[in-house]
Structures are given as structure tokens and as C-alpha cells.
Amino acid sequence: AQSVTQLDSQVPVFEEAPVELRCNYSSSVSVYLFWYVQYPNQGLQLLLKYLSGSTLVESINGFEAEFNKSQTSFHLRKPSVHISDTAEYFCAVSDRLNAGGTSYGKLTFGQGTILTVHP
Amino acid sequence: EAGVAQSPRYKIIEKRQSVAFWCNPISGHATLYWYQQILGQGPKLLIQFQNNGVVDDSQLPKDRFSAERLKGVDSTLKIQPAKLEDSAVYLCASSLASGGVNEQFFGPGTRLTVL
């Protein structure tokens, strides 16, 4: 079984300030890691993902996340936020292989973090 | 490329009534997912189809929820009878194939309110 904990339900921040959204997970098998974003009145969109290779992954709009296996974390960071980054962010995990030796790609989501960027 | 389509976008019903949601995945996507997102929580997988076969329905309340994917394309999710705790956003997603490496694309969701 897998679980995801997002440690902050709401994060208010001023424009151009740095931000970190925290995510910890637990799993009995190796996982893939994802961050999804949901802008107001829109559907979930994939922001970035870690599948393998470099533990630091980046999105096209300046966000980055680092996979830390020893701490079972996948925190999301941005050095300078914009008003347009206001949204709800979800961390999610997917099993690489389940006990049967297959992977169905089921996503287990955290509770979400609402990022509000103030002018 | 058209995204995942869902209808209706909103639905209000009274408890013990029945309701159905429809999803049209991205063309060519073999895998289809239904998630339930209760207010203040992350989405939770209800059922996953690979073509028209079910690969995971472990969290589907089968006494009241049912889903089908005829011909391996469109899918419907039904609740009968609805309970107050079924109030949530129901999300449909699709991916090229099963497996965590395949990106899931989400539809806009159907917001259900049970009174």
C-alpha cells in the first residue's frame, strides 16, 4: 500500500518570493513521483515527474522537485513565484511494479496544497 | 488534440436517486480511470479499465457504484442509490497504456451534490 502526505494544506506567499511545497510518501515498492497542478476552474495538469535518472526534475514554468529516497520526499520548489502560480498542487505516487510483477499505473494522491500568491 | 471530455459538468440530486456520468477519453488511449475527489482531499481511484476490461476496482463501492466501458472507448459511471457522502467531483482520466510511466490526462470533472 502507498500513501502520500502533503505537510501544508495552505501556503500564502508574496509575489517574487521563493516557495517550497512539501511532500512525503510511503510505499513498500519502488515508485514513480508526480506533481499535478489544478488552476481555478480547470482540470488537473501534470507539472513534473520523476521516473528515473537525475533526482532533480524541472518544469517548463520554473518549478523543480528533488527525489530524496532516504527521506522518502519529493518537495516542490520555485525560487520566485508569480501571481499566476496561484493554484492547488497535488503530489502523487505510482507503483513501478506491484506484488504481481506488473504496474497498473494507479496514482495515489496527497491531500493537496493551496498556494496563494499575493501581490 | 482534443482532451478528455466529461458530462455533465454539474449535477444536483437528492439522496436515494440515481445518477450517471459520461467520459470520452483521448483518442487512442487504451487506459481509462475514474477518480473521486471529495472536498479537501486528493483524488482517489475508483476504477481502472484497460481497453474494455477492468484491471482495478478495489476501491469502488460495488453495492452502489458501477462502471462500464463498452467497445473500449467511452465510459459511464453510475451511482444508485446516491448517499450524501457521494458528494464530490468525479474525474475521468486516460493514458496511452497502463503503467506509471504513461502520463494520465484528466478531464474537467463532474461536480455532484447530493442533498
Side-chain angles (χ1 to χ4, degrees):
Chain A
Q2 301 159 341
S3 67
V4 178
T5 301
Q6 292 183 240
L7 296 160
D8 307 291
S9 59
Q10 296 190 54
V11 174
V13 64
F14 288 106
E15 195 173 19
E16 298 183 5
V19 71
E20 178 181 77
L21 307 184
R22 297 178 292 170
C23 171
N24 287 93
Y25 70 92
S26 67
S27 176
S28 57
V29 299
S30 296
V31 298
Y32 299 121
L33 294 155
F34 307 84
W35 277 98
Y36 280 82
V37 59
Q38 188 169 32
Y39 297 104
N41 300 314
Q42 295 187 28
L44 280 166
Q45 303 172 34
L46 181 64
L47 184 62
L48 47 74
K49 60 185 177 184
Y50 170 75
L51 302 181
S52 64
S54 172
T55 57
L56 184 66
V57 291
E58 299 178 354
S59 72
I60 59 172
N61 58 350
F63 282 93
E64 64 179 29
E66 185 160 19
F67 169 51
N68 188 319
K69 188 174 181 180
S70 62
Q71 297 185 9
T72 60
S73 68
F74 191 55
H75 301 330
L76 182 70
R77 302 183 182 95
K78 190 170 185 179
S80 176
V81 294
H82 301 289
I83 297 285
S84 59
D85 293 323
T86 293
E88 187 162 18
Y89 292 80
F90 293 92
C91 181
V93 301
S94 173
D95 61 297
R96 288 178 179 265
L97 291 173
N98 62 21
T102 58
S103 171
Y104 295 134
K106 167 187 171 181
L107 286 171
T108 299
F109 286 87
Q111 304 92 317
T113 298
I114 297 173
L115 174 64
T116 305
V117 182
H118 298 284
Chain B
E1 177 182 87
V4 177
Q6 291 188 246
S7 68
R9 292 294 309 276
Y10 305 92
K11 189 73 177 179
I12 301 173
I13 62 172
E14 296 188 349
K15 60 183 179 183
R16 291 188 289 273
Q17 287 187 321
S18 62
V19 65
F21 312 127
W22 174 82
C23 173
N24 179 239
I26 293 173
S27 177
H29 280 195
T31 308
L32 186 147
Y33 313 79
W34 282 102
Y35 290 86
Q36 179 193 56
Q37 186 177 12
I38 293 173
L39 186 65
Q41 299 180 22
K44 180 185 78 171
L45 181 71
L46 292 176
I47 189 167
Q48 176 180 345
F49 292 93
Q50 177 71 20
N51 296 309
N52 60 351
V54 175
V55 296
D56 187 349
D57 63 357
S58 57
Q59 298 189 94
L60 186 74
K62 299 179 186 63
D63 58 333
R64 297 183 301 106
F65 286 64
S66 64
E68 60 182 9
R69 191 183 183 197
L70 299 176
K71 301 180 182 178
V73 181
D74 293 3
S75 177
T76 56
L77 176 70
K78 296 179 182 177
I79 308 175
Q80 183 178 13
K83 293 185 175 181
L84 296 176
E85 59 261 35
D86 298 332
S87 293
V89 176
Y90 291 84
L91 299 167
C92 180
S94 69
S95 62
L96 277 172
S98 292
V101 296
N102 295 289
E103 181 178 348
Q104 294 185 28
F105 294 85
F106 285 81
T110 296
R111 183 177 298 277
L112 173 68
T113 302
V114 182
L115 302 175

